[in-house]
Amino acid sequence: MSEPDAPATPTVLIVDDNARNLQVLANILRDRDFRVATARNGDMALRFLSRGKPDLILLDIMMPGMDGYALCRRIQQDPETADIPVLFISALTETDDKLRGFAAGGRDYITKPFQREEVHARVSVHLRLKQAQESLKSVNDQLGRANAAKDKLLSIISHDLRGPIGGLRNSLESMAANPERFAPDTRRRMMEDLLKSVDGAYEMLEKLLCWANSQRGRIQCSPEYVPVEYALNHCLRWIGASAAEKSIRTVSEV
C-alpha cells in the first residue's frame, strides 16, 4: 500500500522595503520549515503573484510608492489572489490604523519589533484557517456536483417513466371504457404490450435502486465481459415501443 502524499510546505511571501525586517522574518519562518519569498515593494510583489500563489502574505504598511493598504486592495480585487490571507506587519498600533488595514482586506496584524512566538502563532493560525476554508469549499463543490447529478437523474427518470406509464394508463382507460370494441386477439396483443411496458418500468426502478445502493457502498462491483450485441439488443428492446410510437425505425449492425 502506498503512503499518502505529504502535505506541501506552505509558502509565505514577505513584502517590506526594509532589508533587516525581511531577514528577521525570513529566519523566524524558516525555523518552522516554511518556504519564504521576499519582495521589496508593491510592484515586485505583484510580479511575484503573477507567476505563482503563496499560501500567506506578510505585508508592510509604510512603503514608498504603493503602500501596504493599496497593495492589499489590489490583491483582494484580483480573483486569482483574493483568497490569500494578508497579515499586515507594522509598528503602527493605533486603532484607526488597524481598522484601515482590515477595511483594505487584511486578516490580522503582526507588530514590530517581531516576537518569534507571535509570528509563528499568527501565521500558523491563518494557514490552518485557509486550509479549513479550502476543505469546506471542496466539500461544497462535491455537494453541488452531487445535487446536479441527482437533479439530472430525476429528470431522466421522470421522462422515461412518463412514456410507459402514460401508455399503460391510456390503454387501460380505453379497454375499460369500451371493452366490447376489442376482439380477443386484439386484447391479448394489447395486454402483451402493456406487460412489456410494466416490465420495462419495473426494470428501470430496479436499476435505480441498484444504483442508489452502489452509491451508498452497499454493492460490491464485480465487472464481467458482456457481448456488445447482447447489450445493444437489450437497449433496442427497451426503446422499441417508444420509437415505434414516433415512427422511428431502429437498426442494429454489430
Side-chain angles (χ1 to χ4, degrees):
M1 181 181 296
S2 60
E3 294 294 330
D5 294 336
T9 302
T11 299
V12 178
L13 171 63
I14 309 172
V15 187
D16 197 321
D17 63 315
N18 186 300
R20 175 62 179 165
N21 289 339
L22 289 176
Q23 182 180 6
V24 171
L25 280 173
N27 289 337
I28 291 174
L29 293 172
R30 289 186 179 118
D31 283 347
R32 293 293 178 90
D33 296 326
F34 290 117
R35 297 175 59 188
V36 177
T38 61
R40 297 292 294 273
N41 55 54
D43 291 332
M44 290 179 63
L46 291 175
R47 285 196 295 272
F48 179 89
L49 292 172
S50 69
R51 300 190 302 270
K53 287 179 58 175
D55 297 284
L56 183 139
I57 298 174
L58 297 181
L59 176 58
D60 187 32
I61 293 177
M62 307 303 293
M63 295 187 297
M66 186 188 311
D67 65 16
Y69 298 129
L71 177 57
C72 188
R73 284 192 291 270
R74 291 277 296 272
I75 293 170
Q76 294 299 307
Q77 290 167 1
D78 187 343
E80 294 296 321
T81 57
D83 62 335
I84 303 175
V86 175
L87 278 61
F88 282 111
I89 50 178
S90 176
L92 300 175
T93 57
E94 295 295 330
T95 300
D96 289 346
D97 297 319
K98 293 183 178 180
L99 292 177
R100 186 179 176 191
F102 293 136
R107 305 282 182 88
D108 205 347
Y109 264 86
I110 296 177
T111 56
K112 302 175 185 177
F114 305 120
Q115 301 296 321
R116 184 179 301 271
E117 292 76 12
E118 180 189 10
V119 174
H120 287 163
R122 293 186 185 276
V123 168
S124 297
V125 164
H126 286 282
L127 285 174
R128 286 197 295 269
L129 286 173
K130 181 174 182 288
Q131 185 179 28
Q133 290 169 349
E134 290 173 347
S135 298
L136 181 60
K137 182 179 182 300
S138 176
V139 171
N140 286 335
D141 290 343
Q142 292 176 16
L143 288 175
R145 291 192 294 269
N147 283 330
K150 178 199 68 176
D151 292 342
K152 184 176 182 179
L153 178 63
L154 291 176
S155 175
I156 294 172
I157 292 170
S158 63
H159 176 271
D160 288 351
L161 285 179
R162 187 179 293 115
I165 292 178
L168 176 62
R169 183 175 185 276
N170 292 336
S171 297
L172 290 175
E173 279 186 343
S174 179
M175 293 175 66
N178 303 286
E180 69 282 352
R181 291 178 51 190
F182 301 96
D185 289 345
T186 302
R187 285 199 301 270
R188 186 180 66 255
R189 287 195 300 271
M190 291 182 67
M191 295 301 293
E192 290 174 351
D193 291 340
L194 292 176
L195 182 58
K196 290 179 181 178
S197 295
V198 172
D199 286 343
Y202 181 80
E203 182 180 0
M204 173 180 282
L205 293 175
E206 283 288 307
K207 289 181 177 179
L208 175 60
L209 179 60
C210 181
W211 175 84
N213 286 331
S214 71
Q215 296 299 301
R216 296 172 183 170
R218 297 180 179 177
I219 292 181
Q220 174 119 13
C221 180
S222 300
E224 62 182 33
Y225 288 102
V226 176
V228 173
E229 185 176 13
Y230 169 82
L232 181 59
N233 288 336
H234 182 76
C235 293
L236 290 178
R237 286 196 300 272
W238 169 254
I239 66 172
S242 178
E245 290 176 0
K246 300 175 183 178
S247 300
I248 298 174
R249 185 170 63 94
T250 58
V251 179
S252 171
E253 295 183 359
V254 179

